[in-house]
Amino acid sequence: MSIMEYNGGSVIAMVGKECVAIASDLRLGNQALGISSNFQKIFPVTDRIYLGLPGLATDVTTLQELFRFRVNMYTIKEEREIQPETFAHLVSSTLYERRFGPYFIEPVIAGLSQTPSGGFKPFIAATDLIGCLNFAKDFVVAGTASSKLFGVAEGLWEPDLEPEDLFETISQTLMNAVDRDAYSGWGCVVHVITKDKIITRTLKGRMD
Amino acid sequence: MPAMLSTQPHGLPHPHMQTEQGPQQRQFNPYTENGGTILAIAGKDFSVIAGDTRQSEGYSIQTRYAPKVFRLTDRAVLAVNGFAADGNMFVKKVRQRLEWYRHAHAKDMPLRAIARLIQTMLYARRFFPYYVYNILGGIEEDGSGAVYSFDPVGSYEREACRAAGAAQSLVQPFLDNQIYFKNQTPAPGTSHPTHLPLPTVLKLVIDSFTGATERHIEVGDGLEIYVVLAKGASTQALEGIRGIQETTVTNDGERVFIIQRELKKD
């Protein structure tokens, strides 16, 4: 019995043209038994950063609260909003603090970072459960369907997708990957972050 | 070490000598896993069977060219993946049975019969199995393209497409989406095609393997794609393909082609 697969669930993030997308399934399970089809794994951090927390469900809640606290402390001390790169390092050091008794979560970060000229640059990152950062240029995956997500994303993703095309790509990738994973599925949620709005859609998935 | 023993004073036990011997267990493991991936897709009047050519054991590459896909007859191609030694032996035995059939009946065995033969041959070894996943592709007697997939003990099914091996989990959901159009809704008044044309299938096979090569360490080096065409099927889609080779033996009408491609070697 692996703790990483105890509750199931998967998250993926992708880069597009001046936009990023992050998506997850909605299942909460107790091993093979499905418990909820409306379990949130993706949380807003700022207006332009979203954080996905697949893994052990009890740690999803703990870490979501911990990051909320730490981001608030950062905002108060610095008197500015945290940037995705900084937040990624906050996630990494928070997890590494528990190097020898880790939280069983593999976080995925997606956001738009502000450039010196005032524009926005897409940013995605993922870490393992002890905070080893992976800054990918294309897509990152995590959770029980990660190998399936890698396979489909490698086939469907292409550079410079517009927000609507990125939405379709990430949705198809996630849906088809979780349909081959017994521990993920039961519906999906997708967020596309663009410079002036966030598109959030809940997708109906197979319920078997 | 007798020289060392002689230096010991008489009457004292050797420092390394054990007075009591505990129970010991030895084990021989007859199986290994040799990586790689295979894939087959059936069309209306053709069948495509492909496999990479890397053979590995653990993190070591044994060879960059070990075929996993074999022509059995002019209408049947078999891909084997798992334990390479068992795979090669199994193909050898299937070919022997097909030759006996030819001598007895003066014709090649039909595809569905080969599929059932493979089931019985695998199940015959139920308690010491061939550690291989088989995918059989080819042309049925009615001229349709077919794919049969097997588990190591002979449970089998006819399908439109199947991936097996190390990167099955990467490739199969991609195929679900692109071949079966899973999670895609056709525009109102239209429907998804039941069979894809050969050029589309070849593109999907190449994309599947380049994707698997990118993300799986056991997949890469080379790609061998077998194309089996039904009697009278057009060869137009195969014209001008780089590195194509015909390996048809009889002139029954069905034709077999091999396309060889390079994959990343890292």
Side-chain angles (χ1 to χ4, degrees), chain A residues 138-139 147-148 150-152 154-156 172 175-176 179-180, chain B residues 162 169-170 172-174 176-178 182-184 211 214-215:
Chain A
D138 42 14
F139 51 83
S147 63
K148 286 113 180 163
F150 266 131
V152 189
E154 199 62 61
L156 296 186
Q172 287 294 322
M175 295 272 268
N176 289 286
D179 284 353
R180 281 280 175 183
Chain B
R162 170 61 65 186
S169 64
L170 284 78
Q172 193 65 54
F174 177 65
D176 289 344
N177 187 225
Q178 297 293 310
K182 287 277 171 70
N183 293 113
Q184 288 190 268
E214 200 66 45
R215 297 286 177 176

Coordinates of all heavy atoms in Angstrom, one line a residue, chain A residues 138-139 147-148 150-152 154-156 172 175-176 179-180, chain B residues 162 169-170 172-174 176-178 182-184 211 214-215:
Chain A
D138 N 7.2 23.2 -21.1 CA 6.0 22.8 -21.9 C 4.8 22.4 -20.9 O 3.8 23.1 -20.9 CB 6.3 21.6 -22.8 CG 7.3 20.6 -22.2 OD1 7.5 20.6 -20.9 OD2 7.8 19.7 -22.9
F139 N 5.0 21.3 -20.2 CA 3.9 20.8 -19.3 C 4.5 20.1 -18.1 O 5.6 19.5 -18.2 CB 2.9 20.0 -20.0 CG 3.5 18.8 -20.8 CD1 3.8 17.6 -20.2 CD2 3.8 19.0 -22.2 CE1 4.4 16.6 -20.9 CE2 4.3 17.9 -22.9 CZ 4.7 16.8 -22.3
S147 N 2.0 8.8 -15.4 CA 2.6 8.2 -16.6 C 1.6 8.4 -17.8 O 2.1 8.6 -19.0 CB 3.0 6.8 -16.4 OG 1.8 6.0 -16.1
K148 N 0.3 8.2 -17.6 CA -0.6 8.4 -18.7 C -0.7 9.8 -19.1 O -0.7 10.1 -20.3 CB -2.0 8.0 -18.2 CG -2.2 6.5 -18.0 CD -2.4 6.1 -16.6 CE -2.6 4.6 -16.4 NZ -2.4 4.2 -15.0
F150 N 1.7 12.0 -19.0 CA 3.0 12.2 -19.8 C 2.8 11.8 -21.3 O 3.1 12.5 -22.2 CB 4.1 11.5 -19.2 CG 5.0 12.3 -18.3 CD1 5.3 11.8 -17.0 CD2 5.4 13.6 -18.6 CE1 6.1 12.6 -16.1 CE2 6.2 14.3 -17.8 CZ 6.5 13.8 -16.5
G151 N 2.2 10.6 -21.4 CA 2.1 10.0 -22.7 C 1.1 10.8 -23.6 O 1.5 11.1 -24.8
V152 N 0.0 11.2 -23.1 CA -1.0 11.9 -23.9 C -0.5 13.3 -24.2 O -0.6 13.8 -25.3 CB -2.4 11.9 -23.2 CG1 -3.4 12.5 -24.2 CG2 -2.8 10.6 -22.8
E154 N 2.5 14.4 -24.3 CA 3.6 14.4 -25.3 C 3.1 14.3 -26.7 O 3.7 14.8 -27.6 CB 4.5 13.2 -25.0 CG 5.9 13.2 -25.5 CD 6.7 14.3 -25.0 OE1 7.0 14.4 -23.8 OE2 7.2 15.1 -25.9
G155 N 1.9 13.7 -26.9 CA 1.3 13.6 -28.2 C 0.4 14.7 -28.6 O 0.3 15.0 -29.8
L156 N -0.2 15.4 -27.6 CA -1.2 16.5 -28.0 C -0.6 17.9 -27.9 O -1.0 18.8 -28.6 CB -2.4 16.4 -27.1 CG -3.3 15.1 -27.2 CD1 -4.5 15.3 -26.4 CD2 -3.7 14.8 -28.6
Q172 N -8.5 17.5 -23.0 CA -8.4 16.2 -23.6 C -7.3 15.3 -23.0 O -7.5 14.1 -22.8 CB -8.1 16.3 -25.1 CG -9.3 16.8 -25.9 CD -10.4 15.8 -25.9 OE1 -10.2 14.6 -26.0 NE2 -11.7 16.3 -25.8
M175 N -8.6 14.2 -19.4 CA -9.7 13.3 -19.5 C -9.3 11.9 -19.9 O -9.7 10.9 -19.4 CB -10.8 13.8 -20.4 CG -11.4 15.1 -19.9 SD -12.8 14.8 -18.8 CE -14.1 14.9 -20.0
N176 N -8.5 11.9 -21.0 CA -8.1 10.6 -21.6 C -7.1 9.8 -20.7 O -7.1 8.6 -20.6 CB -7.6 10.7 -23.0 CG -8.7 11.1 -24.0 OD1 -9.5 10.2 -24.3 ND2 -8.8 12.3 -24.4
D179 N -9.1 8.4 -17.6 CA -10.0 7.3 -17.9 C -9.3 6.0 -17.9 O -9.9 4.9 -17.9 CB -10.7 7.6 -19.3 CG -11.8 8.6 -19.2 OD1 -12.1 9.0 -18.1 OD2 -12.3 9.0 -20.3
R180 N -7.9 6.0 -18.0 CA -7.1 4.8 -17.9 C -6.6 4.6 -16.5 O -5.7 3.7 -16.3 CB -6.0 4.8 -19.0 CG -6.5 4.5 -20.4 CD -6.6 3.0 -20.6 NE -7.2 2.7 -21.9 CZ -7.4 1.5 -22.3 NH1 -7.2 0.4 -21.6 NH2 -7.9 1.3 -23.5
Chain B
R162 N -4.2 -1.5 -30.0 CA -3.7 -2.0 -28.7 C -2.2 -1.6 -28.6 O -1.5 -1.8 -29.6 CB -3.9 -3.5 -28.6 CG -3.2 -4.1 -27.4 CD -3.6 -3.6 -26.1 NE -5.0 -3.8 -25.7 CZ -5.7 -3.3 -24.7 NH1 -5.0 -2.5 -23.8 NH2 -6.9 -3.6 -24.5
S169 N 1.2 2.4 -20.8 CA 0.5 3.4 -20.0 C 0.6 4.8 -20.6 O -0.3 5.6 -20.4 CB 0.9 3.4 -18.6 OG 2.2 3.8 -18.4
L170 N 1.7 5.0 -21.4 CA 1.8 6.3 -22.1 C 1.0 6.3 -23.4 O 0.4 7.3 -23.7 CB 3.3 6.6 -22.3 CG 4.2 7.1 -21.2 CD1 4.6 5.9 -20.3 CD2 5.4 7.8 -21.7
Q172 N -1.4 3.9 -24.7 CA -2.8 3.5 -24.8 C -3.9 4.6 -24.6 O -4.8 4.8 -25.5 CB -3.1 2.4 -23.9 CG -4.5 1.7 -24.1 CD -4.5 0.9 -25.5 OE1 -3.6 0.1 -25.8 NE2 -5.5 1.2 -26.3
P173 N -3.7 5.5 -23.6 CA -4.7 6.6 -23.5 C -4.7 7.6 -24.7 O -5.7 8.2 -25.1 CB -4.3 7.3 -22.2 CG -3.0 6.8 -21.8 CD -2.8 5.5 -22.5
F174 N -3.5 7.8 -25.3 CA -3.4 8.6 -26.5 C -4.1 8.0 -27.7 O -4.8 8.7 -28.4 CB -1.9 8.8 -26.8 CG -1.6 9.5 -28.1 CD1 -1.9 10.9 -28.2 CD2 -1.0 8.9 -29.2 CE1 -1.7 11.6 -29.4 CE2 -0.7 9.7 -30.4 CZ -1.1 11.0 -30.4
D176 N -6.6 5.8 -27.3 CA -8.1 5.9 -27.0 C -8.7 7.2 -27.6 O -9.7 7.2 -28.1 CB -8.3 6.0 -25.5 CG -8.0 4.6 -24.8 OD1 -7.9 3.6 -25.5 OD2 -7.8 4.6 -23.6
N177 N -7.9 8.3 -27.4 CA -8.3 9.6 -27.9 C -8.3 9.7 -29.4 O -9.2 10.3 -30.0 CB -7.4 10.7 -27.2 CG -7.9 12.1 -27.5 OD1 -7.1 12.9 -27.8 ND2 -9.2 12.3 -27.3
Q178 N -7.2 9.3 -30.0 CA -7.0 9.5 -31.4 C -7.6 8.4 -32.4 O -7.9 8.7 -33.5 CB -5.5 9.6 -31.7 CG -4.9 10.8 -31.0 CD -5.4 12.2 -31.5 OE1 -5.4 12.4 -32.7 NE2 -5.8 13.0 -30.6
K182 N -12.2 8.9 -28.0 CA -12.8 9.0 -26.7 C -12.7 10.4 -26.2 O -11.8 11.2 -26.5 CB -12.0 8.1 -25.7 CG -12.2 6.6 -25.9 CD -13.4 6.1 -25.2 CE -13.7 4.7 -25.5 NZ -12.8 3.7 -25.0
N183 N -13.8 10.8 -25.4 CA -13.9 12.2 -24.9 C -14.0 13.3 -26.0 O -13.8 14.4 -25.7 CB -12.8 12.6 -24.0 CG -12.8 11.7 -22.7 OD1 -11.9 10.9 -22.5 ND2 -13.8 11.9 -21.9
Q184 N -14.3 12.8 -27.2 CA -14.6 13.8 -28.3 C -16.0 13.7 -28.8 O -16.5 12.5 -29.0 CB -13.6 13.6 -29.4 CG -12.2 14.0 -29.1 CD -11.3 14.0 -30.3 OE1 -10.6 13.1 -30.6 NE2 -11.3 15.1 -31.0
G211 N 6.8 10.1 -28.7 CA 6.4 10.5 -27.4 C 6.8 9.5 -26.3 O 7.4 10.0 -25.3
E214 N 10.6 9.9 -25.7 CA 10.9 11.1 -25.0 C 10.8 10.9 -23.5 O 11.6 11.3 -22.7 CB 9.9 12.2 -25.4 CG 10.3 13.6 -25.2 CD 11.5 14.0 -26.0 OE1 11.6 13.8 -27.2 OE2 12.4 14.6 -25.3
R215 N 9.8 10.1 -23.1 CA 9.5 10.0 -21.6 C 9.8 8.7 -21.0 O 9.6 8.5 -19.8 CB 8.0 10.4 -21.4 CG 7.6 11.8 -21.8 CD 8.2 12.8 -20.8 NE 7.9 14.1 -21.2 CZ 8.2 15.2 -20.5 NH1 8.8 15.1 -19.3 NH2 7.9 16.4 -20.9

